[in-house]
């Protein structure tokens, strides 16, 4: 997902790490009923919020909000994004993953009391495609047709084993087509329903939208027509607060949950606050350019091997703080296809020095390019770059740091002109096929100067992984691909920075999900 294509996504990513508006919210924990259903839950989040319209939304804060407002055809259970489960529909698919049949599994009710039908499903998915908004790429090449009032069929020209995982994304939430059409909704770029959907919700989720201010706060209240289990909190205030203030708020009790604490900020919060720390789905990596016209040094395979062996991965994990894990491969640990932790790269300084000598490196300065203004899960890129510079110095590699604002550095990254690049990748959707971009001739491969045909053995493994198969087959094929990438590819997976969620001890069932961060409706009240 990260810096994959459109300028809009770049702006979103920059906003996610720089916006620091502090908004005031309602006092947390107030209750007016014995069962707690009228309790207000206050969540602090650094906003990257652009809209509540599912067809146009593709930012972390929007995912959090729309997960509460809209139900999806398929979903994930808790924090497990390695396999999909039924949402409002049940799935069957053909063997080559080109035809997917979704059957509504009961009567699901929209917030106005009307019943969801296949027409609503078709409209919702076709609207995402037709709007050509940020999430439209999720359904690239997908044709949506109605079979009967309860059944929709999705077809693709080529095998698309990732589609079930894609359908769990809140951007593909099912809308009340009648209501949305009455308020300007269409399935093409003439659609004008966003204004309505930013002040009302038209879904079947556990909450409805009470109010939305893109700069300060979102207020949700329970959906009386929801046919699932009633949420523990009757009112939810999500307020725009920067990380350091989030810590103060959750410690002081003016917020119940803080979502954006760094590993350092998550420490020492006291007994009244519980911290859930997990590796995030973001993978920070190095690329070493394989184009000799960019660098004769980094395109040397022995030099690449020496750098892989020289890095002190444990040291990088330690500076990143609570919740961080070393990335074993380019696919993060919670996804299908991830490498086991014991197959991660390890430091071997003697081997690094031997391979460096074999490469013919003679002490030349090598440039490390990175965005200077990105902070990811509380970890800033200059800190990582400086530590890598120091570590490579130990084997005699002279690294010159070349920081630049992300808006500037992106051009060099996308154009494949960085010598050594420090970047990160977050999944567009939680399926390993999203990581085929790291192979020869694909998006990130080309950014590393690695064209199609550069490594036929890895390309063969990539083709096998892309073909689909059973869950066990896909796991094995993506493991094989990453093992080969670690051995012979130009990428060095470094870190999965920690995702730290601090919550008042009265709030339970706090479970991190790599797609929507938290399922607000599943939070419990002690």
């Amino acid at each position: 997902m990260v810096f994959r294509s459109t300028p809009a996504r770049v702006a979103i990513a920059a906003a996610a790490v720089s916006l620091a508006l502090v908004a005031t919210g309602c006092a947390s924990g107030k209750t007016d009923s014995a069962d707690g259903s009228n309790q207000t839950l206050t969540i602090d989040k650094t906003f990257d919020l652009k809209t509540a319209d599912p067809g146009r939304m593709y930012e972390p804060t929007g995912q959090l909000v729309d997960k509460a407002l809209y139900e999806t055809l398929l979903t994930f259970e808790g924090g497990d994004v390695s396999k999909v489960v039924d949402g409002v529909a049940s799935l069957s698919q053909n063997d080559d993953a080109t035809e997917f049949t979704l059957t509504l599994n009961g009567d699901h009710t929209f917030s106005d009391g009307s019943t969801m039908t296949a027409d609503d499903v078709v409209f919702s998915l076709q609207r995402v495609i037709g709007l050509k908004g940020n999430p439209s790429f999720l359904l690239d090449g997908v044709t949506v047709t109605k079979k009967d009032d309860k059944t929709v069929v999705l077809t693709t020209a080529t095998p698309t084993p990732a589609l079930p995982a894609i359908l769990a994304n809140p951007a593909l939430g099912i809308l009340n087509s009648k209501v949305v059409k009455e308020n300007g909704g269409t399935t093409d770029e003439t659609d004008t329903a966003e204004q309505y959907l930013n002040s009302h919700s038209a879904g079947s989720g556990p909450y409805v939208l009470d109010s939305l201010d893109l700069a300060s706060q979102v207020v949700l209240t329970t959906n009386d027509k929801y046919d699932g289990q009633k949420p523990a909190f009757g009112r939810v205030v999500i307020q725009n607060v920067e990380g350091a203030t989030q810590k103060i708020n959750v410690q002081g009790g003016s917020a119940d949950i803080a979502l954006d604490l760094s590993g350092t900020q998550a420490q020492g919060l006291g007994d009244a606050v519980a911290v859930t720390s997990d590796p995030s789905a973001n993978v920070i990596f190095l690329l070493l350019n394989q184009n000799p016209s960019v660098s004769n040094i980094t395109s040397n395979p022995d030099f690449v091997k020496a750098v892989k062996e020289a890095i002190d991965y444990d040291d990088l994990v330690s500076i990143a703080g609570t919740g961080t894990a070393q990335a074993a491969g380019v696919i993060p640990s919670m996804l299908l296809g991830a490498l086991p932790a014991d197959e991660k790269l390890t430091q071997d300084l003697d081997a690094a020095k031997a391979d460096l000598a074999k490469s013919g490196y003679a002490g030349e300065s090598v440039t490390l390019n990175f965005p200077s203004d990105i902070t990811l899960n509380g970890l800033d890129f200059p800190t990582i770059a400086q530590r890598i510079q120091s570590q490579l110095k130990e084997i005699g590699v002279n690294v010159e740091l070349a920081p630049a604002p992300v808006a500037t550095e992106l051009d060099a990254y996308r154009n494949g002109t960085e010598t050594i690049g420090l970047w990160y990748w977050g999944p567009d959707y939680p399926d390993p096929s999203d990581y085929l971009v790291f192979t020869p001739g694909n998006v990130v491969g080309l950014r590393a100067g690695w064209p199609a045909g550069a490594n036929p053995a890895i390309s063969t493994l990539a083709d096998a992984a892309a073909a689909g198969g059973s869950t066990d087959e896909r796991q094995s094929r993506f493991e094989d691909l990453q093992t080969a990438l670690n051995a012979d590819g130009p990428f060095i997976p470094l870190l999965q920075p920690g995702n730290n969620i601090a919550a008042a001890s009265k709030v339970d069932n706090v479970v991190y999900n790599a797609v929507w961060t938290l399922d607000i409706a599943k939070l419990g009240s002690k």
Side-chain angles (χ1 to χ4, degrees):
M1 161 180 191
V2 182
F3 311 127
R4 183 168 184 163
S5 55
T6 66
R9 293 195 202 173
V10 176
I12 288 163
V17 297
S18 63
L19 189 58
L21 277 168
V22 179
T24 57
C26 298
S28 65
K30 290 186 177 179
T31 180
D32 300 310
S33 65
D35 66 0
S37 61
N38 287 337
Q39 287 189 87
T40 293
L41 178 77
T42 302
I43 300 173
D44 281 1
K45 175 82 177 73
T46 303
F47 277 17
D48 49 5
L49 186 62
K50 305 298 179 185
T51 181
D53 181 346
R56 294 179 168 89
M57 176 280 302
Y58 205 67
E59 301 79 44
T61 308
Q63 303 274 15
L64 173 72
V65 170
D66 280 358
K67 172 62 180 173
L69 301 178
Y70 298 94
E71 293 184 289
T72 49
L73 292 166
L74 302 173
T75 189
F76 300 110
E77 187 66 38
D80 184 2
V81 295
S82 66
K83 59 184 178 183
V84 295
V85 298
D86 288 357
V88 296
S90 301
L91 169 72
S92 63
Q93 65 182 71
N94 62 0
D95 291 339
D96 63 358
T98 58
E99 183 175 287
F100 305 82
T101 301
L102 285 304
T103 304
L104 293 173
N105 50 22
D107 291 332
H108 301 281
T109 307
F110 289 116
S111 56
D112 69 347
S114 60
T115 300
M116 182 186 298
T117 70
D119 291 324
D120 299 301
V121 175
V122 171
F123 171 81
S124 300
L125 300 187
Q126 289 184 345
R127 181 173 182 266
V128 172
I129 296 168
L131 285 181
K132 295 181 171 56
N134 272 341
S136 296
F137 79 99
L138 293 171
L139 296 177
D140 280 350
V142 177
T143 300
V144 183
T145 56
K146 174 183 173 181
K147 183 177 180 180
D148 57 45
D149 284 346
K150 289 284 189 179
T151 310
V152 172
V153 178
L154 279 59
T155 56
T156 60
T158 58
T160 312
L163 189 54
I166 290 170
L167 291 173
N169 195 292
L172 304 183
I174 307 306
L175 301 167
N176 184 331
S177 59
K178 181 176 182 292
V179 169
V180 174
K181 287 176 182 177
E182 288 173 350
N183 290 277
T186 66
T187 57
D188 58 33
E189 292 177 278
T190 64
D191 179 276
T192 59
E194 182 179 12
Q195 182 176 356
Y196 176 82
L197 293 172
N198 278 342
S199 55
H200 307 77
S201 48
S204 61
Y207 286 95
V208 293
L209 185 63
D210 180 82
S211 66
L212 177 143
D213 184 317
L214 297 175
S216 60
Q217 72 174 23
V218 181
V219 179
L220 312 176
T221 55
T222 51
N223 176 7
D224 292 337
K225 304 298 184 181
Y226 180 56
D227 49 25
Q229 183 175 349
K230 187 176 183 179
F233 296 93
R235 187 170 184 268
V236 178
V237 177
I238 306 167
Q239 55 188 19
N240 186 15
V241 181
E242 60 90 26
T245 305
Q246 289 184 27
K247 179 175 182 176
I248 295 170
N249 288 352
V250 77
Q251 278 186 303
S254 62
D256 298 302
I257 296 177
L259 294 180
D260 299 298
L261 300 187
S262 68
T264 302
Q265 291 167 337
Q267 297 173 354
L269 290 174
D271 294 339
V273 179
V275 179
T276 302
S277 296
D278 298 285
S280 70
N282 297 313
V283 172
I284 298 174
F285 64 92
L286 285 177
L287 67 82
L288 282 78
N289 204 301
Q290 298 303 287
N291 185 345
S293 68
V294 173
S295 173
N296 283 318
I297 296 171
T298 61
S299 59
N300 184 296
D302 290 316
F303 182 86
V304 175
K305 192 174 180 183
V307 173
K308 290 178 179 178
E309 294 162 336
I311 291 174
D312 187 341
Y313 301 94
D314 291 338
D315 178 58
L316 295 180
V317 170
S318 70
I319 66 169
T322 303
T324 299
Q326 181 182 341
V330 294
I331 299 175
S333 57
M334 68 283 295
L335 299 195
L336 175 72
L339 275 177
D342 59 7
E343 293 191 31
K344 62 190 179 185
L345 295 170
T346 57
Q347 185 185 44
D348 185 337
L349 290 178
D350 290 339
K353 290 174 182 177
D355 284 320
L356 188 64
K358 200 184 305 182
S359 76
Y361 175 75
E364 302 94 330
S365 179
V366 183
T367 303
L368 172 56
N369 305 91
F370 60 94
S372 59
D373 52 355
I374 284 184
T375 301
L376 184 67
N377 298 100
L379 183 62
D380 65 271
F381 275 47
T383 298
I384 306 170
Q386 290 162 13
R387 195 59 65 99
I388 291 171
Q389 180 189 45
S390 175
Q391 293 174 1
L392 294 184
K393 185 70 174 176
E394 289 189 41
I395 65 166
V397 175
N398 295 311
V399 174
E400 178 184 349
L401 300 184
V406 62
T408 301
E409 193 57 40
L410 269 172
D411 286 339
Y413 173 49
R414 287 176 171 165
N415 294 333
T417 58
E418 293 183 321
T419 305
I420 301 177
L422 176 65
W423 289 93
Y424 78 98
W425 189 266
D428 289 300
Y429 44 85
D431 186 89
S433 60
D434 193 45
Y435 294 82
L436 293 170
V437 293
F438 286 89
T439 57
N442 284 304
V443 173
V444 187
L446 292 172
R447 293 172 182 176
W450 211 28
N455 190 312
I458 287 180
S459 293
T460 297
L461 291 171
D463 289 342
S470 68
T471 297
D472 289 344
E473 287 171 335
R474 297 189 76 210
Q475 176 70 37
S476 177
R477 290 168 183 172
F478 277 101
E479 284 186 10
D480 290 345
L481 173 60
Q482 287 178 98
T483 298
L485 283 171
N486 280 357
D488 299 316
F491 303 104
I492 307 177
L494 300 174
L495 300 170
Q496 285 179 236
N499 187 88
N500 299 289
I501 301 173
S505 56
K506 68 171 189 176
V507 182
D508 62 7
N509 201 30
V510 178
V511 179
Y512 167 68
N513 182 285
V515 180
W516 49 71
T517 309
L518 277 182
D519 186 344
I520 296 171
K522 295 294 178 66
L523 295 172
S525 176
K526 295 180 182 178

